Amino acid sequence: MAKSLAPRSQPYQLAAAPGRRPLLGHVLPLWRRPLEFLESLSVLGDLVKIHIGSCPAYMVCHPELVQRVLVNAQAFDKGGPYYDTARTLAGNGISTCGWEDHRRQRPLVMPVFQKQRITAYTRTMAQEIADVTAAWPSGRAFDITAAAHSLTVHITAKALFSGHLGASAVDTVDKCLPVVVKGLYPRMLTPVKSVYKIPTPGNRHFDRSLSKLHQSIDEVIAAYRVTGTDHSDALSALLDHHDEKTGDRLNDAEVHDEVLGILVGAVETTPALLAWTFYLLSEYPEAAARVREEAKSLLAGKPAEPDHIAHLKYTRRVLTEALRMYPPVWIVSRVTTTDVELAGKILPPGTAVMWSPYILHRNPRLFPEPERFDPDRWLPGASPAPPRNAMIPFGGGSHRCPGETFGLNEATLVLATVTRLWKLHAASGAILRPLAKMTLSPGRIPMVKLPITQP
Ligand code: HEM
């Protein structure tokens, strides 16, 4: 029987990870087998010291300690070389900026995610989902991860620039964003930035795609400014909103950075969730049958629409359980800006602090039988109730994901639309190779789509 976590009256356990190498610290296991390495840390203690190169860093493994970090965004800020590179390439939007800028910018961005706007985007996505999933090949293997990615890029770009002025921008986003997102992660992690200045075909492709993306976003912003029309999309919300009291608003360069940040935030996470969920459903046919029954009885032969979402309760539990087992954002980092106490230890300014939703969600002391896919652990009143603050796929505090409803609406509509009409199963010989990079993705999963009337 697993030991329970230290109640708050007991001191938190501090530990240091074994296996530190001279100069490298723990870089090798963190790079080569990150998930296993992180899981090994959570067994050691609640706050575990590791080394990245010669710099100490702390892995926070207790949910209450993670909450303390999340709610103190001033002392645990976004910073360090990782965020410096992200800002240089993707701008100073709310996903990358530091505390001071975030305090000003986040309220100016939040209208993008207002309830009425989300309802409007959800209507756009429902139609898109029906069209695109119908075009997924039938009867032969296709990569579900790539298909979910391309669907999400398209949906997000349309929600951002729904107006006709944005049609070519949607196309540019479709082509260039995947290249940029793929190239960002190694550029953020690699200390030797000069390798990315060498004019290799890969570097040139990245640079071209990034500059096309920047240019396209600038063009759409300029075009929206000229017409001044509210297109009921995210870009209109960013351009129109101002602080009622102070009149403060985002300038065009800031709107540009927020657009890019929202795109990057959206297009890696939801597709990973979808791909993992389709994989899990192919492994657990009873759960797939329940999702199908729910969609069939609720939709009564019609396509899934925004109003159905609240009633697709089992489908939502399936997605929640997939987010527990395979949280797309699997690791998060901050840097201390002042002397700050955590678990009884004073961390000096400049200390890297990290936590992993993946290891919290898979800690058997928090979630019994964590390897078991059990959507009903999320039934209201289920026993044992999942512990407070242990489930954090969307983060928390002032950086909590503003796109949660957008992403979950999209994933719910995709599942209902697909499972009502087709069965997806992993192609024979398909091997799962989880990739823990910018997000936790299942990698390429060949799946076959068959109409449900077929045996
Ligand atoms: C399943 C889908 C998603 C997951 C699991 C997810 C997860 C997260 C997490 C964990 C954070 C906080 C990161 C941190 O604390 O450093 C975050 C932030 C963010 N997400 Fe999401 N996200 C998802 C979908 C989306 C979508 C669809 C959008 C946009 C349409 C979006 C936009 C953002 C933005 C702009 C931030 C930065 C917020 C801030 O720092 O104030 N996300 N997301």
Side-chain angles (χ1 to χ4, degrees):
M1 175 105 164
K3 263 197 320 177
S4 64
L5 281 184
R8 287 165 77 189
S9 55
Q10 281 179 26
Y12 290 109
Q13 273 185 308
L14 301 177
R20 178 182 169 191
R21 294 270 191 90
L23 297 175
L24 293 172
H26 297 95
V27 164
L28 289 182
L30 203 50
W31 183 258
R32 286 185 184 152
R33 37 179 192 87
L35 301 177
E36 291 91 327
F37 178 62
L38 295 185
E39 280 190 296
S40 75
L41 298 183
S42 76
V43 177
L44 295 175
D46 300 319
L47 184 67
V48 183
K49 188 175 185 178
I50 62 170
H51 279 83
I52 299 179
S54 53
C55 298
Y58 289 85
M59 184 58 67
V60 189
C61 301
H62 193 293
E64 298 307 324
L65 293 177
V66 172
Q67 281 308 309
R68 284 196 206 170
V69 175
L70 282 170
V71 298
N72 192 354
Q74 187 174 12
F76 296 96
D77 201 359
K78 293 192 173 178
Y82 179 86
Y83 279 106
D84 291 345
T85 310
R87 281 177 208 137
T88 311
L89 297 171
N92 194 44
I94 56 168
S95 341
T96 48
C97 69
W99 180 78
E100 194 72 53
D101 290 337
H102 190 263
R103 216 160 54 121
R104 172 182 161 255
Q105 287 166 214
R106 175 128 173 164
L108 295 172
V109 171
M110 285 315 282
V112 166
F113 300 98
Q114 255 169 10
K115 204 163 173 246
Q116 299 97 301
R117 299 249 176 205
I118 295 279
T119 310
Y121 314 144
T122 308
R123 251 180 252 121
T124 316
M125 64 174 77
Q127 187 53 53
E128 199 71 19
I129 288 166
D131 295 347
V132 173
T133 55
W136 286 353
S138 203
R140 65 180 167 82
F142 69 104
D143 177 13
I144 187 69
T145 308
H149 196 267
S150 142
L151 172 66
T152 303
V153 169
H154 216 71
I155 285 175
T156 313
K158 278 213 151 175
L160 274 167
F161 327 113
S162 68
H164 66 281
L165 289 170
S168 75
V170 172
D171 199 43
T172 307
V173 169
D174 219 4
K175 294 206 177 79
C176 300
L177 191 64
V179 181
V180 170
V181 171
K182 190 161 174 237
L184 264 180
Y185 184 71
R187 283 165 177 77
M188 282 157 78
L189 287 195
T190 313
V192 192
K193 308 293 177 203
S194 51
V195 293
Y196 294 108
K197 298 219 163 75
I198 303 168
T200 60
N203 286 345
R204 285 212 306 268
H205 190 37
F206 175 87
D207 292 342
R208 258 198 321 272
S209 303
L210 184 60
S211 90
K212 267 196 197 160
L213 202 53
H214 281 312
Q215 189 192 338
S216 185
I217 294 171
D218 280 341
E219 283 169 6
V220 190
I221 291 174
Y224 270 48
R225 283 279 190 226
V226 169
T227 63
T229 314
D230 182 349
H231 296 285
S232 298
D233 56 15
L235 181 54
S236 295
L238 285 172
L239 291 169
D240 293 347
H241 184 69
H242 60 275
D243 185 309
E244 298 269 309
K245 280 198 201 124
T246 61
D248 186 20
R249 56 168 69 232
L250 296 172
N251 65 34
D252 287 3
E254 290 168 334
V255 169
H256 176 118
D257 288 359
E258 299 301 350
V259 166
L260 194 50
I262 292 170
L263 283 171
V264 173
V267 304
E268 284 291 288
T269 47
T270 316
L273 167 62
L274 277 170
W276 281 118
T277 308
F278 279 120
Y279 164 75
L280 285 164
L281 290 179
S282 80
E283 293 286 294
Y284 292 84
E286 321 79 57
R290 282 179 72 182
V291 173
R292 179 170 311 113
E293 275 321 302
E294 184 172 75
K296 276 171 74 179
S297 68
L298 197 72
L299 274 50
K302 299 205 186 86
E305 285 178 14
D307 288 346
H308 294 125
I309 292 174
H311 305 287
L312 290 162
K313 292 188 189 307
Y314 183 72
T315 308
R316 179 57 66 91
R317 291 206 294 283
V318 163
L319 289 167
T320 306
E321 181 67 345
L323 281 168
R324 181 190 68 78
M325 293 182 77
Y326 299 106
V329 177
W330 60 284
I331 191 160
V332 188
S333 75
R334 298 287 191 265
V335 167
T336 55
T337 53
T338 178
D339 280 326
V340 57
E341 182 270 332
L342 192 65
K345 182 159 182 65
I346 304 294
L347 306 179
T351 307
V353 173
M354 299 182 276
W355 63 96
S356 164
Y358 181 89
I359 59 169
L360 283 190
H361 297 178
R362 286 181 174 252
N363 185 333
R365 293 177 288 168
L366 298 168
F367 295 97
E369 296 184 77
E371 304 293 329
R372 192 159 63 89
F373 175 67
D374 177 12
D376 286 339
R377 69 171 91 222
W378 301 103
L379 267 173
S383 174
R388 213 161 60 93
N389 297 335
M391 176 73 179
I392 50 163
F394 294 99
S398 58
H399 288 285
R400 189 184 169 95
C401 177
E404 174 174 351
T405 310
F406 184 108
L408 287 176
N409 282 3
E410 178 188 336
T412 308
L413 286 175
V414 172
L415 278 199
T417 303
V418 171
T419 52
R420 183 176 72 89
L421 298 171
W422 303 287
K423 232 179 207 173
L424 283 188
H425 65 86
S428 58
I431 298 169
L432 185 70
R433 290 201 178 85
L435 297 172
K437 300 228 161 144
M438 183 99 125
T439 49
L440 180 63
S441 146
R444 189 173 177 279
I445 316 183
M447 290 201 124
V448 179
K449 177 179 113 176
L450 293 173
I452 51 171
T453 46
Q454 208 161 308

